[in-house]
Amino acid sequence: MNPKAVRFGTEEVEVPVGSHICSLFRTDEERNNIAIPFVREGIRDGVSCKYVVSDQTAEHLRRSLSASGLNVAMLEATGQLDILTAADTYLKRDAFNYREMIAFWENVCAEVRASRRPYARCTGETTFLQEGTPTVEQFLEYEARLNDYVPNAPLVVLCQYNMTKLSGELIVGVLQTHPYAVMGGVLIRNPYYVPPEQFLARYKTDHGVAGSA
């Protein structure tokens, strides 16, 4: 049976399995103060952890995880830790489509069931968005629609956003598409969150965005 709540990794707080969380940061230290404990807690739980690097290199992440006391080589060899890139996930195909990413999450959930582990922890850096592919509109639609999927899945998802590298429009949208948020190093139930259909209807009206095919 899946646990109802698990330790987030910082502050001795718990989050429900099925949580979709954004972490807003400005420095490498702020990023690591949240992301490294998040992964370490998953390893302690004995669950699989996937980490998509974009704000840093995979080797930089490995050094930070090792410095926190984790045996990174062993964890990667056993498959409990999987370090990916945007090219492996968000940008795997030429044209970004949120449905392709939902398929990615379905594969992760299938791995959870096959491994008989209770859930998986996944976190991704999003600095690749500063290149303009996918567009802000495309990515926010994806983040909004994740809220129809993640709450019913054996996942805890942490989306990381570097506020010094990404647009204000994106950050505002991010705050409206995540039920939980880490701001100033503190995890909160996000008061700015807007349910997916309401967010998408308002966003598309305000920005003149056509619906996705």
Side-chain angles (χ1 to χ4, degrees):
M1 181 180 295
N2 293 340
K4 292 183 178 179
V6 294
R7 284 170 53 112
F8 176 61
T10 61
E11 311 173 73
E12 304 295 323
V13 298
E14 293 188 334
V15 293
V17 171
S19 291
H20 184 207
I21 309 158
C22 67
S23 178
L24 307 179
F25 65 91
R26 294 183 181 277
T27 67
D28 291 355
E29 181 180 13
E30 289 179 357
R31 179 194 65 217
N32 289 346
N33 284 346
I34 299 301
I36 300 302
F38 177 81
V39 172
R40 192 172 60 229
E41 196 64 45
I43 298 301
R44 288 175 178 170
D45 264 359
V47 303
S48 61
C49 299
K50 295 186 183 294
Y51 195 121
V52 180
V53 292
S54 173
D55 197 60
Q56 62 183 319
T57 66
E59 285 308 312
H60 188 180
L61 173 62
R62 289 186 179 102
R63 288 194 296 270
S64 296
L65 291 170
S66 295
S68 77
L70 294 178
N71 185 335
V72 175
M74 181 193 71
L75 292 168
E76 289 190 275
T78 61
Q80 191 177 358
L81 173 65
D82 192 8
I83 299 176
L84 305 166
T85 67
D88 298 321
T89 52
Y90 304 104
L91 305 180
K92 194 169 184 178
R93 298 183 183 273
D94 291 338
F96 177 87
N97 187 307
Y98 75 86
R99 293 183 180 86
E100 296 291 341
M101 281 304 298
I102 295 299
F104 166 80
W105 292 116
E106 288 176 344
N107 287 336
V108 174
C109 291
E111 291 174 9
V112 171
R113 291 189 290 270
S115 68
R116 297 181 181 271
R117 289 171 171 154
Y119 72 103
R121 285 192 182 222
C122 305
T123 183
E125 300 165 358
T126 57
T127 303
F128 68 90
L129 291 169
Q130 67 185 338
E131 303 299 327
T133 303
T135 65
V136 170
E137 293 84 0
Q138 288 173 318
F139 199 75
L140 288 179
E141 179 177 12
Y142 159 68
E143 287 284 34
R145 292 189 184 278
L146 265 187
N147 295 310
D148 287 328
Y149 183 82
V150 172
N152 301 309
L155 300 170
V156 178
V157 179
L158 176 68
C159 306
Q160 302 181 54
Y161 292 88
N162 188 331
M163 292 191 293
T164 69
K165 297 180 179 179
L166 300 170
S167 71
E169 178 188 354
L170 178 64
I171 297 303
V172 168
V174 163
L175 280 173
Q176 295 178 328
T177 54
H178 291 78
Y180 292 86
V182 180
M183 294 186 285
V186 178
L187 175 68
I188 62 171
R189 187 178 287 276
N190 184 6
Y192 305 106
Y193 172 66
V194 178
E197 292 308 318
Q198 183 181 340
F199 170 82
L200 290 170
R202 186 170 71 191
Y203 187 85
K204 291 176 180 180
T205 298
D206 290 348
H207 294 78
V209 180
S212 294

